[in-house]
């Protein structure tokens, strides 16, 4: 065989081996019931490619991608579109230049709710916001604040689908959280339109935050079985936010259910997470007001990049997100 032939053979063989290896790794990733750092990285890149506040074209584009990805993994995906009022930044009082603009305008938000049906009549809701806060003077993509929980929930959708498939052959004992139907709720409009959380009430007389979680909670009903969503008793709500910092330091905040917190912390390995006596306003509040047992999990330590242009993938550890996701799956396998 000539030198040229040997070189060509080596190149072709190497390329074939590379394709085979890549395909094998991709197939393995799709079939594994643990979190993939690669999948999280891809989701983070999609989330941070551009700012996407509620009602923006970029937000609608991201919503379509999230829905398509979850449907591919066998989830029943629904859009909950809702009308809500926000401060109108075009108004002169709010820094705009339109003298004819009203101080408040109505927009349409979209929650994404994906359900994986369980074997028992109960529901566990896991939620987080997928919008980014609007800033006019810098580019804000919310890698940690919105992106980290969104990526984790997308990957959780794949993992739960794998678990459901595996357990058809060998069904474990009943009574686990995982035996309930699981709802993944991607909330729109958690972020305030104005700079500060309560500016809407102070300046224009409206609540301008947690729009999506308030809209979703409003669809729940109180029956003799407790709080129902889509005719299923809601046994627990978990709300995740800002979970992916490279110096991750997660809190289970005040108002979280102690029994749920103990069970969750019992699954800890490498994830840095503690129960903390700290109250934070976030998407869990509408569900707390309904009296549903809940966990609110957030990193309220690493705040130097929070709501700044520095909240990018540079401050994110995809492995930290994956480790937390595996901890969450272990929790779901526990008895209720």
């Amino acid at each position: 065989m000539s030198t040229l032939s040997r070189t060509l053979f080596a190149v072709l063989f190497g390329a074939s081996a590379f394709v085979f290896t890549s395909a094998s790794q991709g197939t393995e990733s799709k079939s594994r019931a643990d979190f993939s750092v690669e999948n999280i990285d891809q989701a983070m890149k999609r989330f941070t490619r551009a700012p996407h506040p509620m009602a923006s074209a970029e937000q609608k584009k991201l919503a379509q991608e999230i829905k398509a990805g979850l449907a591919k993994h066998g989830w029943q995906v629904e859009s909950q579109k809702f009308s809500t009022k926000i401060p109108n930044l075009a108004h002169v009082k709010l820094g705009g230049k339109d003298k004819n603009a009203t101080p408040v305008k109505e927009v349409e938000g979209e929650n994404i709710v994906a359900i994986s049906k369980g074997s028992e009549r109960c529901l566990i809701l896991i939620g987080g916001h997928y919008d980014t806060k609007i800033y006019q003077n810098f580019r804000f993509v919310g890698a940690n604040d919105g992106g980290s929980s969104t990526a984790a929930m997308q990957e959780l959708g794949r993992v739960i689908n794998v678990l459901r498939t595996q357990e058809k052959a060998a069904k474990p004992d009943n009574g686990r959280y995982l035996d309930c139907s699981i709802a993944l709720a991607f909330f729109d409009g958690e972020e305030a339109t104005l700079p500060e959380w309560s500016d809407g009430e102070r300046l224009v007389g409206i609540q301008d935050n947690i729009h999506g979680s308030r809209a979703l909670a409003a669809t729940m009903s109180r029956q003799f079985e407790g709080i129902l969503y889509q005719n299923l008793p809601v046994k627990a709500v978990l709300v995740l936010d800002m979970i992916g910092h490279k110096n991750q330091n997660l809190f289970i905040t005040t108002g979280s259910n102690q029994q749920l917190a103990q069970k969750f912390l019992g699954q800890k390995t490498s994830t840095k997470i503690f129960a903390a006596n700290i109250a934070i306003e976030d998407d869990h509040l509408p569900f707390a007001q309904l009296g549903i047992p809940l966990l609110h999990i957030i990193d309220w330590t690493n705040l130097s990049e929070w709501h700044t242009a520095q909240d990018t993938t540079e401050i994110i550890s995809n492995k930290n997100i994956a480790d937390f996701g595996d901890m969450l799956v272990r929790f779901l396998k526990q008895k209720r």
Side-chain angles (χ1 to χ4, degrees):
M1 184 182 293
S2 68
T3 302
L4 178 60
S5 298
R6 286 198 301 270
T7 302
L8 182 60
F9 177 80
V11 169
L12 290 174
F13 179 80
S16 300
F18 174 77
V19 170
F20 177 78
T21 302
S22 299
S24 300
Q25 288 174 344
T27 302
E28 181 184 4
S29 174
K30 291 178 182 178
S31 63
R32 290 182 56 149
D34 53 7
F35 270 57
S36 161
V37 170
E38 179 185 357
N39 291 346
I40 291 167
D41 180 62
Q42 292 172 357
M44 288 296 304
K45 286 176 179 175
R46 288 192 296 270
F47 189 96
T48 58
R49 69 188 163 209
H52 45 93
M54 178 172 64
S56 67
E58 282 293 333
Q59 180 74 335
K60 293 172 184 176
K61 180 180 178 181
L62 180 62
Q64 290 299 323
E65 293 171 351
I66 292 172
K67 288 184 286 187
L70 291 166
K72 184 179 70 174
H73 293 306
W75 290 68
Q76 299 173 11
V77 184
E78 302 175 2
S79 290
Q80 184 204 11
K81 295 187 178 180
F82 59 92
S83 294
T84 190
K85 293 179 179 179
I86 65 171
N88 187 355
L89 297 178
H91 190 263
V92 174
K93 183 180 177 181
L94 301 177
K97 297 180 180 180
D98 187 350
K99 295 180 180 179
N100 297 318
T102 58
V104 173
K105 68 177 182 179
E106 192 167 284
V107 298
E108 183 179 74
E110 180 182 1
N111 291 330
I112 302 166
V113 182
I115 295 180
S116 172
K117 188 172 178 56
S119 58
E120 300 178 24
R121 190 173 177 273
C122 50
L123 182 84
I124 307 299
L125 188 145
I126 302 169
H129 75 95
Y130 77 109
D131 62 308
T132 56
K133 186 169 175 63
I134 186 168
Y135 285 103
Q136 297 179 313
N137 57 338
F138 63 87
R139 186 176 185 271
F140 180 74
V141 296
N144 196 32
D145 188 5
S148 57
S149 55
T150 299
M153 289 166 56
Q154 289 177 273
E155 179 64 355
L156 181 62
R158 182 195 66 80
V159 170
I160 287 179
N161 180 55
V162 172
L163 287 172
R164 296 276 200 234
T165 302
Q166 291 176 349
E167 292 184 355
K168 285 180 182 177
K171 181 69 175 67
D173 292 337
N174 293 332
R176 305 171 303 163
Y177 295 104
L178 189 59
D179 296 316
C180 296
S181 293
I182 306 294
L184 298 179
F186 298 79
F187 302 125
D188 204 353
E190 184 267 353
E191 298 285 8
T193 308
L194 296 174
E196 299 299 328
W197 185 258
S198 58
D199 277 351
E201 292 176 273
R202 184 174 62 86
L203 296 175
V204 294
I206 60 168
Q207 182 177 353
D208 177 38
N209 49 54
I210 59 172
H211 295 271
S213 53
R214 287 190 283 130
L216 185 62
T219 68
M220 296 182 172
S221 61
R222 190 181 299 276
Q223 305 292 338
F224 72 96
E225 296 174 282
I227 303 299
L228 270 61
Y229 179 69
Q230 297 193 5
N231 201 37
L232 292 173
V234 183
K235 295 301 182 183
V237 170
L238 285 72
V239 171
L240 316 177
D241 201 0
M242 298 167 60
I243 60 170
H245 200 281
K246 59 187 178 183
N247 299 320
Q248 182 191 68
N249 189 45
L250 303 180
F251 293 157
I252 297 177
T253 68
T254 299
S256 296
N257 180 274
Q258 288 190 351
Q259 182 181 5
L260 289 175
Q262 289 174 356
K263 287 185 177 182
F264 197 89
L265 291 172
Q267 307 312 310
K268 180 170 66 172
T269 52
S270 60
T271 297
K272 196 173 179 182
I273 182 169
F274 311 92
N277 185 22
I278 180 170
I280 295 174
E281 295 187 8
D282 204 350
D283 278 316
H284 64 295
L285 289 181
F287 307 104
Q289 290 166 1
L290 291 172
I292 303 172
L294 62 84
L295 287 179
H296 175 235
I297 299 172
I298 190 170
D299 184 337
W300 206 242
T301 304
N302 296 291
L303 299 177
S304 60
E305 302 93 357
W306 178 60
H307 286 182
T308 73
Q310 284 68 53
D311 189 0
T312 68
T313 53
E314 293 297 315
I315 70 165
I316 296 297
S317 166
N318 295 323
K319 184 177 186 305
N320 284 349
I321 299 174
D323 289 345
F324 173 82
D326 290 332
M327 178 181 177
L328 175 54
V329 171
R330 291 193 297 272
F331 165 78
L332 292 173
K333 291 180 177 179
Q334 301 304 302
K335 292 279 190 177
R336 301 193 299 276

